[in-house]
Amino acid sequence: MRGLVGLSLLCLVLAPMAAAGAASFTREGLTFSDELGGFRLVSVTGTGRLEDPFVVVEEIGGQGPAILLITGLRPEFGNRCGTQHLTGFAMTKLVRNVGNQPWHDFRMELRENERYASPYGDGLSFGQAATGRTVESSTFHQARVIDEPYDGLAFEDGEVPPGAAADFHFLITDETPAWRILLIQDLSPPTAALPPREEPARPAAWPHPMLAQRPEAAP
């Protein structure tokens, strides 16, 4: 996998600037799009299997959020990452910093819609409860998985200067496949953390997902 990452990072660094307008790529029946904004989607390759993950190449120039829209997941897609979930796939994200500030952390969140955080009951997660699930980055030395009260990943203890790229490796699984999945990527500072677990969730301003005030729970 690391050889693939090195080659893809080189392609990312050499990729030309995109023309105006949204980009979308369809692979294995899934469509990946940057139409919700915040970043440029450069390419998508792979099949979603552990040995051949979807490799999503992006450029981000601001603080975020950058929202990758994934559509088309169906039960027929199956589970390609070996977990116990009905559907699932492996993903490698290669993200180039095209802004003017270094990144010291990188956060992601899964949702089925803009309004609500992903609750336990919707079945969508980063491989929750799977044995040996993959969550790693060679750019950031710490990777934390947040399973409750929302589905998130936090990559910390690293630095991505302007012009450099970061890599991320993880699983996306869904017990009740959602036609529309949002992978929200955010560069807000670590101080914008969740309130203590015992505090009730409070409404948050969309679309910035990693603020201290969280959105209300789904009904």
Side-chain angles (χ1 to χ4, degrees), residues 46-125:
T47 62
R49 295 176 173 83
L50 287 175
E51 68 276 12
D52 183 31
F54 289 124
V55 179
V56 179
V57 181
E58 303 173 350
E59 293 180 341
I60 297 180
Q63 285 290 104
I67 307 171
L68 175 65
L69 176 63
I70 306 171
T71 55
L73 185 62
R74 300 177 180 180
E76 294 78 12
F77 180 86
N79 189 314
R80 303 188 178 191
C81 56
T83 68
Q84 75 276 18
H85 307 88
L86 179 63
T87 61
F89 52 88
M91 181 179 289
T92 288
K93 281 175 49 61
L94 305 168
V95 188
R96 182 185 179 193
N97 179 359
V98 295
N100 56 14
Q101 298 292 328
W103 301 342
H104 298 287
D105 64 88
F106 198 100
R107 300 172 184 229
M108 304 183 201
E109 180 180 345
L110 282 172
R111 291 189 182 189
E112 289 188 354
N113 61 66
E114 290 86 346
R115 185 174 180 186
Y116 300 114
S118 172
Y120 178 80
D122 71 357
L124 179 65
S125 72

Side-chain angles (χ1 to χ4, degrees), residues 177-199:
W179 181 260
R180 185 172 184 266
I181 296 172
L182 307 180
L183 179 59
I184 304 168
Q185 305 161 101
D186 186 85
L187 299 166
S188 60
T191 52
L194 283 169
R197 186 177 292 265
E198 64 272 17
E199 291 186 11

Side-chain angles (χ1 to χ4, degrees), residues 18-69:
S24 67
F25 300 88
T26 299
R27 298 288 302 179
E28 303 294 304
L30 303 185
T31 298
F32 301 77
S33 172
D34 60 10
E35 64 189 74
L36 297 181
F39 75 110
R40 175 194 170 213
L41 181 60
V42 177
S43 66
V44 180
T45 58
T47 62
R49 295 176 173 83
L50 287 175
E51 68 276 12
D52 183 31
F54 289 124
V55 179
V56 179
V57 181
E58 303 173 350
E59 293 180 341
I60 297 180
Q63 285 290 104
I67 307 171
L68 175 65
L69 176 63

